[in-house]
Each structure stands twice: as C-alpha cells, then as structure tokens.
C-alpha cells in the first residue's frame, strides 16, 4: 500500500514491549494530523506542536516521542582517563554524568533531538550505522587522542559510522577520532 513502510521503526526496546519510538526513529514527525487523529498520544502527550520537545509533526504510532532537553554522557565501561563521568557506562542508565550510557547509539535513541548535546568520555567505541536528523545538536569527545569510534570494528569494511540527514542543521561533532 502507498502509506506502508517496511523500515525499522527503532522502538526504544521492543524485546521488553517498549514500543515508544526513539528520538532517531524514521517514524518521528512524519505522521498524519487533522481529521479524527487524536491530538494527544496514549500517554497524554501533545502531538507535534513543539511542546514537551515532541517535534514539529505528529509521530507515527500511538506514542509521541518526548525528548528531554539537556546534556547526556557516554562512557565505555572504564573510568581510565575520563574527564566528565564518575561511573562506567550502561545502556540501561539515564545518561547523566553519574550514570552515563555505554553506547552513542542508545544515547541518541533517548536524546537525539534538536537542542541537545552529548559528551563522550575517553575510550574506544564500536558504534556504527547511526542516523541522525537533529538540529542545533552536538557530540563532543573528551579529546581526539582520547575518544575513538571504530565504525568497522567487525572488519566487514562495508559499514559507516554515521549518516547526518539533510534536515539536520547546526550539527557539530568535535574532539574525537572516527576511523
């Protein structure tokens, strides 16, 4: 059908029945509005009006992505050489300096919305094939000699680290190495 999609919606965690869409979901801001479409989601969040950081358009599905503004932190599960965090990373954490995420991918699922920033502490990371559309967004490493992203960590040589989509404006990546 003309309105169907077969791309991964990037739910927060479908394995635990968490079918909220992530901040980097292709279902974000592309739903239909008007007519008999509800103006709030199943949790009561207003849809697509830029309040509560929901974005400018309706999201597809019963949940509207709500992105909390702020700075989020990533740590590679080691405190060696770290300058921003005081705990090791875990993707079950909330992303604060005392409870950082383990991977950039999981961080962006939560905070990959316009106006946010991510600080990546010292370490080596194997994230790959990340896609982002946020504007006024930054990813800052602890230093180009301290933070390395290896987008081809499995040696397949056909992977990419990140795709920055055309609707991302004022997007900044600094102080890290991508190989």
């Amino acid at each position: 059908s003309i309105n169907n999609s077969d791309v991964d919606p990037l739910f927060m965690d479908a394995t635990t029945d968490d079918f909220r869409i992530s901040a980097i979901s292709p279902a974000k801001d592309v739903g239909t509005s008007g007519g008999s479409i509800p103006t709030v989601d199943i949790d009561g969040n207003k849809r697509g009006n830029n309040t509560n950081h929901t974005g400018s358009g309706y999201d597809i599905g019963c949940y509207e992505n709500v992105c909390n503004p702020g700075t989020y932190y990533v740590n590679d599960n080691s405190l060696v050489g770290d300058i921003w965090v005081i705990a090791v990373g875990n993707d079950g954490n909330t992303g604060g300096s005392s409870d950082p995420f383990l991977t950039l991918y999981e961080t962006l699922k939560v905070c990959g919305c316009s106006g946010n920033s991510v600080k990546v502490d010292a370490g080596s990371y194997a994230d790959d094939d990340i896609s982002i559309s946020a504007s006024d967004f930054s990813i800052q490493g602890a230093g180009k000699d301290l933070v390395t992203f290896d987008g081809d960590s499995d040696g397949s040589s056909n992977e990419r680290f990140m795709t920055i989509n055309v609707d991302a404006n004022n997007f900044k990546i600094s102080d890290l190495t991508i190989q």
Side-chain angles (χ1 to χ4, degrees), residues 17-79:
D17 296 332
D18 185 351
F19 295 108
R20 294 173 298 136
I21 64 165
S22 69
I24 57 174
S25 170
K28 184 171 172 43
D29 292 339
V30 296
T32 302
S33 62
S36 62
I37 306 295
T39 58
V40 295
D41 73 359
I42 197 168
D43 289 333
N45 296 307
K46 291 183 180 180
R47 289 193 177 267
N49 61 0
N50 279 324
T51 61
N52 297 330
H53 307 279
T54 58
S56 59
Y58 281 35
D59 296 340
I60 295 175
C62 64
Y63 295 103
E64 187 76 5
N65 175 267
V66 178
C67 195
N68 295 315
T71 300
Y72 291 79
Y73 297 85
V74 181
N75 177 275
D76 71 339
N77 210 18
S78 169
L79 295 177

Side-chain angles (χ1 to χ4, degrees), residues 22 47 55 58 110 116 125 135-136 154 157:
S22 69
R47 289 193 177 267
Y58 281 35
V110 172
N116 284 341
Y125 300 87
S135 295
D136 301 314
D154 66 3
S157 72

Side-chain angles (χ1 to χ4, degrees), residues 6-8 40-41 43 45 55 72 88 91-92 131-132:
D6 64 355
V7 298
D8 182 352
V40 295
D41 73 359
D43 289 333
N45 296 307
Y72 291 79
V88 296
D91 282 337
S131 179
I132 191 154

Side-chain angles (χ1 to χ4, degrees), residues 28-175:
K28 184 171 172 43
D29 292 339
V30 296
T32 302
S33 62
S36 62
I37 306 295
T39 58
V40 295
D41 73 359
I42 197 168
D43 289 333
N45 296 307
K46 291 183 180 180
R47 289 193 177 267
N49 61 0
N50 279 324
T51 61
N52 297 330
H53 307 279
T54 58
S56 59
Y58 281 35
D59 296 340
I60 295 175
C62 64
Y63 295 103
E64 187 76 5
N65 175 267
V66 178
C67 195
N68 295 315
T71 300
Y72 291 79
Y73 297 85
V74 181
N75 177 275
D76 71 339
N77 210 18
S78 169
L79 295 177
V80 175
D82 289 345
I83 61 171
W84 290 314
V85 302
I86 58 172
V88 296
N90 182 309
D91 282 337
N93 287 345
T94 61
S97 62
S98 62
D99 60 345
F101 287 107
L102 178 63
T103 63
L104 181 59
Y105 177 77
E106 288 297 324
T107 306
L108 293 175
K109 282 176 61 177
V110 172
C111 78
C113 299
S114 296
N116 284 341
S117 63
V118 175
K119 293 189 179 226
V120 183
D121 229 327
S124 295
Y125 300 87
D127 294 87
D128 62 7
D129 205 18
I130 295 170
S131 179
I132 191 154
S133 298
S135 295
D136 301 314
F137 190 87
S138 67
I139 299 173
Q140 180 182 2
K144 66 179 184 163
D145 296 327
L146 299 175
V147 178
T148 302
F149 280 93
D150 185 354
D152 187 30
S153 61
D154 66 3
S156 68
S157 72
N158 63 354
E159 297 173 344
R160 65 177 172 259
F161 167 63
M162 179 181 288
T163 300
I164 302 172
N165 297 317
V166 295
D167 51 347
N169 297 306
N170 299 319
F171 188 89
K172 181 179 180 181
I173 298 175
S174 63
D175 301 319

